[in-house]
Amino acid sequence: MGREPGKDAIAVRLVALGGRRWVRLLAAALSGALLALTLPPVDLLPAVAGYSVLVGVLVASETARRPWLDRAMVGAVFGFSTHLGGLWWVGVAFTVDAQTFGPLLPLGVVGLPLLLVPFHALAAVLAGFAPARIVPTALALALALGVTEGLRGLLFTGFPWNVAGYHLTPSGLLSQSAALVGVNGLAVPAVLIGALPAVLLARGGRTCAIAIVGLAVAMVAFGAVWRASAPAPPGDAPVVRIVQPSIPQRDKWRPELRQAIYARLLGLTAQGPDYDIVVWPETSIPFLYTSPSLQSQELAAALKPGATLFAGAVMVEGDGEGRRAYNTILMIDHNGDVVERYDKVRLVPFGEYLPLSDVLSRLGLTALVEGASDFRAGAAATTLTVPGLPPAQPMICYEVIFPHFTAGEAAWIVNVTNDAWFGNTPGPRQHLRHAALRAIERGVPVVRAANTGISAMIDANGRIVERLSLNTVGYLDSPLPASRATLYGLWGDGPMLIIAIGGLAFLWRRRIRESRSGPHNR
């Protein structure tokens, strides 16, 4: 049997309540569902208290026959619950062509959370490195999630969607600390602040609770004072036009609508005052763009004098067996000529390519990507430079969710996306939040053009300067905000990773010492 937890009043009560595994697993599921409420569009910051429940359950797991296995199960159930609550909207994409993909909707809704479960199971096991009491377990879980959520963004192509640090993002002030430690570093205060109710009830938890409150106050002060305002755009800042055509996904590739779609893009580009840069969304050009051509002449006529266009497009090279398609951003000058291009590097698994295609295609899963098996990844992240302006890093669709996806000394990010697949769900709102966190981390503005929304100009503090609402046809003009240096942009995740691993090692040594010294010291 596992050992009894140390003399911790709340732990003793939890052991009494959680003596049965099903009770612990149910509590873990409820804590995960509660934490999902911190995400857009609900943005319920108090729901971060779900971590109090999880910490208590992990302490109670000490009484199980195999505590490490029990913790792994608790972490797995917690992870599945929070991702099911935060990612259910992915299933909406299967309804766009319901006749073909509708039967796969349950697999899409359940499958993605299941794939993410191992990372939370590992974090729960690592939380057991600490002595089985509320305060050290809370600290160990905070450090462990800082590590495992970072791994989630790197391993198996990576999918760092709604990592633990995003649970603090309902507060714009708390979010500003991402400029110091990145979103993975925010996992530590997210867990500690969420565990505060449990810490307050724990024996000897008063000192730790004061420290947690002090940390939260310091983060708020940093956001309110040092990050109170982003640098104002310089007087000669380029004016950026963001175009949102709002084409329903069902209509996007219908051949008979191509000219009407292109005409809408041109009309939104031609009207209104002058600008320096215009941005169209991901795969917005509804045909294979070439120059010179009639379409390039029409585009040249629509662009303002001297303006440059960043346009999402599909580019195809070769034919027959050698056919290769790329999800691309074209940089097009005022004459309609392509001067630079960027091919998407991080493709969406099952959306733009089929992982393990040799194996899965034999099971008939090629249809999941409907021709996307022809897509190829670009060589590397890069920058694009408009003459006379600082370099921009292009990011297509979900590339903006990766904190580590950087290129050179980019002074701004141009993010084009098509969230029409997900309709009026939390998906587009969560995607926008990811773009805002990249702005905070790197201290650069983000120009976001989304087909059906939410398009926005985001300043270097992650604040929305201007936006176009979901499913709105229109454009917005905004001066490009200035950039600012950040500690995270300079050092990345390295310092926090070292601290987290060192902290877990310290807690592990403390647990071993206590186990050797006997229960009288616990």
Side-chain angles (χ1 to χ4, degrees):
M1 293 288 291
R3 296 172 300 172
E4 289 293 329
K7 294 181 179 179
D8 191 325
I10 187 173
V12 172
R13 297 189 190 100
L14 285 166
V15 169
L17 291 172
R20 295 181 181 274
R21 176 173 288 170
W22 71 266
V23 175
R24 294 193 292 272
L25 297 182
L26 177 60
L30 292 175
S31 68
L34 182 61
L35 278 163
L37 298 178
T38 64
L39 302 172
V42 181
D43 278 334
L44 183 64
L45 184 61
V48 76
Y51 280 119
S52 284
V53 180
L54 179 60
V55 168
V57 173
L58 290 173
V59 172
S61 292
E62 185 72 6
T63 61
R65 186 178 300 273
R66 297 182 180 84
W68 68 269
L69 179 60
D70 200 79
R71 291 190 191 95
M73 294 177 64
V74 164
V77 170
F78 163 78
F80 177 78
S81 175
T82 195
H83 287 305
L84 184 64
L87 286 168
W88 62 266
W89 48 267
V90 171
V92 174
F94 291 81
T95 67
V96 173
D97 185 357
Q99 185 174 356
T100 303
F101 299 113
L104 296 171
L105 189 151
L107 179 62
V109 172
V110 175
L112 183 54
L114 282 175
L115 289 173
L116 301 177
V117 154
F119 296 99
H120 291 87
L122 176 59
V125 170
L126 291 175
F129 279 23
R133 298 191 299 276
I134 293 295
V135 171
T137 299
L139 180 57
L141 179 63
L143 297 172
L145 278 173
V147 174
T148 60
E149 294 289 66
L151 291 176
R152 180 151 70 91
L154 296 173
L155 300 180
F156 313 115
T157 77
F159 189 71
W161 194 280
N162 293 343
V163 295
Y166 284 93
H167 296 309
L168 289 184
T169 60
S171 166
L173 294 178
L174 291 173
S175 300
Q176 295 302 316
S177 293
L180 301 175
V181 297
V183 71
N184 291 323
L186 286 185
V188 176
V191 175
L192 293 177
I193 293 171
L196 184 59
V199 170
L200 283 169
L201 295 174
R203 181 183 180 187
R206 183 178 299 176
T207 300
C208 183
I210 292 173
I212 293 172
V213 171
L215 173 63
V217 170
M219 293 174 67
V220 169
F222 174 75
V225 179
W226 281 275
R227 302 274 298 183
S229 61
D236 59 349
V239 175
V240 180
R241 171 166 295 184
I242 302 172
V243 170
Q244 183 172 296
S246 198
I247 308 298
Q249 190 59 38
R250 290 182 176 86
D251 297 338
K252 188 168 172 57
W253 298 111
R254 290 172 59 183
E256 68 273 21
L257 296 179
R258 287 175 183 168
Q259 191 54 44
I261 291 171
Y262 194 53
R264 179 179 294 184
L265 289 162
L266 295 176
L268 293 169
T269 301
Q271 60 186 275
D274 288 348
Y275 49 78
D276 302 289
I277 299 164
V278 59
V279 183
W280 291 1
E282 178 186 15
T283 61
S284 53
I285 299 180
F287 45 77
L288 297 179
Y289 186 83
T290 59
S291 176
S293 65
L294 175 61
Q295 290 79 15
S296 68
Q297 293 174 15
E298 292 174 328
L299 177 56
L303 285 170
K304 301 295 183 178
T308 298
L309 167 67
F310 291 87
V314 173
M315 300 298 288
V316 177
E317 297 176 353
D319 54 57
E321 293 297 321
R323 181 179 182 270
R324 299 180 304 279
Y326 296 91
N327 190 346
T328 299
I329 290 178
L330 300 178
M331 196 173 96
I332 303 173
D333 67 15
H334 63 278
N335 295 315
D337 297 327
V338 176
V339 291
E340 285 192 69
R341 104 182 213 191
Y342 164 73
D343 297 325
K344 188 177 182 182
V345 174
R346 289 187 174 270
L347 302 178
V348 180
F350 299 101
E352 292 171 314
Y353 79 102
L354 188 66
L356 303 174
S357 58
D358 291 342
V359 176
L360 296 182
S361 60
R362 295 172 188 169
L363 302 177
L365 293 182
T366 304
L368 277 172
V369 287
E370 193 181 17
S373 56
D374 293 326
F375 274 83
R376 297 291 185 270
T382 187
T383 58
L384 301 175
T385 302
V386 178
L389 297 181
Q393 179 175 351
M395 294 185 181
I396 300 176
C397 189
Y398 98 140
E399 287 181 326
V400 81
I401 76 173
F402 292 91
H404 315 96
F405 190 67
T406 59
E409 298 297 326
W412 55 294
I413 292 171
V414 55
N415 174 222
V416 303
T417 188
N418 174 30
D419 293 343
W421 288 98
F422 307 110
N424 189 6
T425 68
R429 297 167 175 88
Q430 292 178 11
H431 203 179
L432 177 65
R433 181 68 52 81
H434 281 261
L437 260 291
R438 298 296 82 76
I440 296 172
E441 287 173 338
R442 296 173 58 181
V444 298
V446 176
V447 178
R448 186 172 195 267
N451 172 24
T452 53
I454 305 167
S455 300
M457 176 65 78
I458 306 171
D459 72 14
N461 281 6
R463 290 187 292 230
I464 309 300
V465 178
E466 293 192 58
R467 65 191 292 166
L468 289 166
S469 301
L470 202 62
N471 299 320
T472 298
V473 177
Y475 68 86
L476 64 84
D477 292 341
S478 177
L480 182 67
S483 60
R484 63 187 310 178
T486 66
L487 197 62
Y488 181 80
L490 180 65
W491 287 350
D493 287 316
M496 281 302 301
L497 183 62
I498 293 171
I499 292 171
I501 294 174
L504 288 170
F506 170 80
L507 291 169
W508 175 245
R509 289 186 62 187
R510 183 173 177 181
R511 180 184 175 101
I512 293 175
R513 271 201 315 270
E514 290 190 6
S515 66
R516 289 175 178 172
S517 63
H520 59 279
N521 284 333
R522 287 190 275 138

